[in-house]
């Protein structure tokens, strides 16, 4: 059922030159790329994307960080995509992420944590269509 998830390689990981290594991990884990682009969010667009967190104390910092540089956005397909991708990226706080996870390997901190992964099938569809039209999904 949940065969689609949405990811972003965040500005910290793009700046550090980890796009290739992160995409390799995603490939090795069996995800198929349905859509992908490098882009840059305005602070306003980042605010819209993370609207669910607008009451959280880190919201301002998060929007500033997510609009601070380029990101790579992608829609990924695999059986059980949402849960399997959350396992692949590891805990939000890299200090708590399991060995071998993308965040353990590449994240700097709780805020600058290298990658985004959708938290539900429903949000994966919403987040994917935030970045990609139907014609850009293959
Ligand atoms: P996840 O990305 O693991 O789903 P959340 O949805 O809870 O985590 O938070 C969204 C993003 O907000 C995180 O990936 C991280 O970049 C940032 N964030 C979350 N908690 C904090 C925090 N306590 N301090 C700073 N940034 C945070
Ligand atoms: Mg989340």
């Amino acid at each position: 059922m949940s065969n689609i998830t949405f990811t972003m390689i965040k500005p910290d990981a793009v700046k550090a030159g980890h796009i290739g290594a992160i995409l390799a991990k995603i490939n090795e884990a069996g995800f198929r790329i349905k859509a992908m682009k490098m882009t840059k969010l305005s602070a306003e667009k980042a605010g819209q994307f993370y609207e669910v967190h607008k009451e959280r104390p880190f919201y301002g910092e998060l929007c500033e960080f997510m609009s601070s540089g380029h990101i790579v956005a992608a829609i990924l397909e695999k059986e059980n995509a949402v849960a399997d991708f959350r396992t692949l990226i590891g805990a939000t706080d890299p200090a708590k992420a399991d060995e071998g996870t993308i965040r353990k390997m590449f994240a700097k901190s709780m805020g600058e944590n290298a990658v985004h992964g959708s938290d539900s099938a429903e949000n994966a569809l919403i987040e994917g269509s935030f970045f990609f039209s139907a014609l850009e999904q293959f």
Side-chain angles (χ1 to χ4, degrees), residues 29-74:
F31 291 88
R32 190 180 77 79
I33 296 168
K34 259 183 87 68
M36 184 164 69
K37 69 172 101 173
M38 184 158 80
T39 185
K40 190 170 186 292
L41 289 168
S42 63
E44 192 193 354
K45 275 280 175 197
Q48 276 173 31
F49 184 86
Y50 282 110
E51 187 125 42
V52 291
H53 293 310
K54 69 171 180 289
E55 305 303 334
R56 310 275 287 275
F58 57 81
Y59 180 68
E61 182 191 323
L62 176 60
C63 296
E64 194 179 317
F65 164 60
M66 287 304 294
S67 58
S68 70
H70 295 96
I71 59 155
V72 174

Side-chain angles (χ1 to χ4, degrees), residues 10 50 52-53 56 86 92 103 116-119 123 127:
K10 296 186 178 183
Y50 282 110
V52 291
H53 293 310
R56 310 275 287 275
R86 295 294 303 204
T92 308
R103 282 171 168 166
H116 169 82
S118 304
D119 63 7
N123 283 336
E127 292 171 357

Side-chain angles (χ1 to χ4, degrees), residues 4-36:
I4 293 296
T5 193
F6 171 77
T7 187
M8 291 182 283
I9 302 176
K10 296 186 178 183
D12 59 318
V14 172
K15 277 184 194 136
H18 296 318
I19 295 173
I22 291 172
L23 291 178
K25 293 277 292 176
I26 290 171
N27 258 325
E28 284 159 18
F31 291 88
R32 190 180 77 79
I33 296 168
K34 259 183 87 68
M36 184 164 69

Side-chain angles (χ1 to χ4, degrees), residues 68-88:
S68 70
H70 295 96
I71 59 155
V72 174
I75 299 174
L76 305 175
E77 184 176 54
K78 182 186 183 296
E79 231 174 75
N80 201 33
V82 169
D84 285 2
F85 194 69
R86 295 294 303 204
T87 302
L88 179 67

